[in-house]
Amino acid sequence: MTVRVAIIGAGTMGADHARTLVAHVPGAVLQVVCDANAERAAAVGAETGARGAASDPVEVIRRPDVDAVLVASPDATHGPLTREAISVGKPVLCEKPLAPTSKECLDIAAAEQRAGRRLVQVGFMRRFDPAYVEMKAVLQSGTLGQPLMFHCFHRNVTAPAFFDAQMAITNSAPHEFDIARWLLDTEYAAVTVFRPEAIGPDKIGSPVFMVVKTRSGQLVTIEINNNAAYGYDVRGELVGEQGSVSLRSPARSEVNLALSQSTAYPADWRPRFEDAYRLELQAWIRSIRTGEPAGASAWDGYAATVIAEAAVASLAEGRTAAVSMPETPSLYRAGR
Ligand code: ISE
C-alpha cells in the first residue's frame, strides 16, 4: 500500500517536510501540496515533484485520492484541520502545537476517542532525535540512578519582532515541555517563569527562564532565548543520582585554523534536527501501514499546551502556576 500524502502549508516546515518525504520516505507519495497562497503551493509542488497543488485545505483533506494529511499551516489552523482529518477517518501528522488552547486540544482528543483509534501524531520530532533517544536509553538502563534534574537550553539566532515572551513559551518551549515529559515519563506539577531584569523594557521577546516541578519530584530548568545571536543551539543535560548525560551537538567536522579549533552552528533548527524529521516521517508512514501508533499522540499535544498555558499565566502574574492534567484516557495509555 502506497500512502498518498497531502501537505497543508508550504511555508518553511511544510516545504522541508515535502523534500524529506519525497527523498527519504519509502511507501509514501506526495499527492498534493496545498497552501492558501496558490503560487507558493505550485512552487513547492513543482520543486518536489508532487502530483498536484491546491489552495483549499478542507477540499484536499476530503479528496478520495488523499490517504493521509500533514498539517504544517499556521498554528491557529492546526486544530480545525486536524479535526477535519479525524472526521473523515484519515491519519494526520500535525506540526506542534496541536492547537493554541488546551480546550481545543481536548476537543481533538475527544473526537479521536469517538473515532475509536489513534489517527493523530503530533510533530514533536525530538522524540526521534538520536541524541535524545540515547539519553532516554541511558536513563532507562538505571546506571544514573533516579533522575533529579533536567537542564534545557533552546537558543535561536534571531526571532521576528512580533515573537514576544509569550510566543517563546507557546511556540518554542513546547519542544522542551514535551521532551522532558517523555524522558522523565511523568506529568508536571507547577511552573514558574522568570525573565532577566537586565533586559531592556522595550525588549518584548525572550529570554525566558522556567523552573518546572514534576509530579515525581524532579526539577526541569528551561532557558528559551530566541535572539541568542550566535547560532541555533539546543542543549540538554539530565542529572541523576550517580551521573549525568548530555546531548552532543551533531557537528560533522571541526576546523583547525590560526591556532584555534572550531565547529559551526546551524542557522536554524532544520539542520540540527534533520535526522529527527526524517525518522519522524518514516515512522509516521510506517505507523499508517502497520496500524501501530508512533510518536507523540493528541494527548501529548494536549499536555504540552496545558503547561504552556500555565507558564503564560506565571509570566503574566509573576507567580508559580499549578499544572493540572486529568487522568490519561485509555486510548493513550499504551506506547508513550
Ligand atoms: C519553531 O517553531 C520550531 O518549531 C523550532 O523547532 C524551534 O526551535 C523554534 O524556536 C520555534 O520557533
Side-chain angles (χ1 to χ4, degrees):
M1 162 203 175
T2 299
V3 182
R4 295 165 297 181
V5 175
I7 294 190
I8 299 183
T12 306
M13 277 322 300
D16 199 59
H17 284 311
R19 290 181 201 112
T20 305
L21 190 87
V22 298
H24 301 292
V25 184
V29 63
L30 183 51
Q31 190 73 2
V32 48
V33 175
C34 175
D35 196 285
N37 178 335
E39 273 174 31
R40 187 156 59 189
V44 173
E47 180 204 326
T48 54
R51 289 182 175 166
S55 57
D56 181 334
V58 173
E59 228 169 68
V60 162
I61 292 170
R62 293 181 184 165
R63 269 167 59 162
D65 63 347
V66 165
D67 303 313
V69 182
L70 193 163
V71 175
S73 45
D75 292 1
T77 65
H78 290 184
L81 295 176
T82 298
R83 272 209 313 278
E84 188 64 41
I86 295 171
S87 77
V88 290
K90 294 189 182 173
V92 51
L93 172 58
C94 179
E95 262 301 337
K96 44 57 62 179
L98 176 58
T101 66
S102 58
K103 158 92 180 59
E104 265 185 280
C105 294
L106 213 46
D107 289 347
I108 293 168
E112 196 180 33
Q113 287 169 80
R114 282 194 298 277
R117 63 194 173 106
R118 291 266 302 266
L119 288 165
V120 180
Q121 182 177 327
V122 180
F124 285 127
M125 77 297 180
R126 289 186 184 187
R127 291 180 179 221
F128 298 93
D129 179 66
Y132 282 108
V133 170
E134 261 181 51
M135 187 178 255
K136 185 158 173 139
V138 172
L139 180 61
Q140 286 180 330
S141 75
T143 49
L144 296 181
Q146 284 303 317
L148 303 175
M149 290 170 287
F150 183 39
H151 303 295
C152 310
F153 302 77
H154 182 137
R155 297 181 183 153
N156 303 71
V157 178
T158 181
F162 62 81
F163 208 100
D164 59 10
Q166 181 167 329
M167 277 196 82
I169 292 169
T170 59
N171 190 284
S172 297
H175 284 299
E176 312 301 331
F177 297 145
D178 180 69
I179 205 69
R181 180 174 167 271
W182 172 80
L183 266 172
L184 298 170
D185 198 12
T186 184
E187 299 296 349
Y188 294 123
V191 55
T192 316
V193 180
F194 304 88
R195 291 186 76 213
E197 283 174 12
I199 194 167
D202 55 317
K203 296 277 194 309
I204 60 157
S206 55
V208 291
F209 184 82
M210 289 175 257
V211 180
V212 184
K213 285 187 185 169
T214 72
R215 277 194 204 164
S216 318
Q218 297 110 358
L219 286 180
V220 178
T221 65
I222 303 175
E223 174 198 309
I224 305 287
N225 188 356
N226 298 118
N227 292 296
Y230 67 90
Y232 184 76
D233 190 10
V234 165
R235 302 183 195 183
E237 182 175 11
L238 180 65
V239 183
E241 293 167 312
Q242 304 296 332
S244 84
V245 51
S246 304
L247 305 172
R248 290 282 288 267
S249 294
R252 295 196 178 94
S253 60
E254 53 193 27
V255 175
N256 302 303
L257 194 70
L259 305 178
S260 69
Q261 189 175 62
S262 62
T263 55
Y265 284 105
D268 71 24
W269 53 89
R270 287 168 294 171
R272 165 64 184 86
F273 288 109
E274 189 181 17
D275 291 340
Y277 285 120
R278 189 187 67 253
L279 294 165
E280 171 189 61
L281 282 191
Q282 289 171 346
W284 180 51
I285 295 300
R286 207 177 314 118
S287 82
I288 294 169
R289 300 176 79 185
T290 61
E292 278 299 310
S297 67
W299 194 254
D300 299 320
Y302 167 65
T305 303
V306 166
I307 183 171
E309 278 175 352
V312 167
S314 170
L315 173 74
E317 295 161 23
R319 59 169 176 88
T320 298
V323 183
S324 128
M325 281 280 290
E327 207 186 307
T328 309
S330 58
L331 184 65
Y332 304 110
R333 261 180 231 144
R336 241 181 88 182

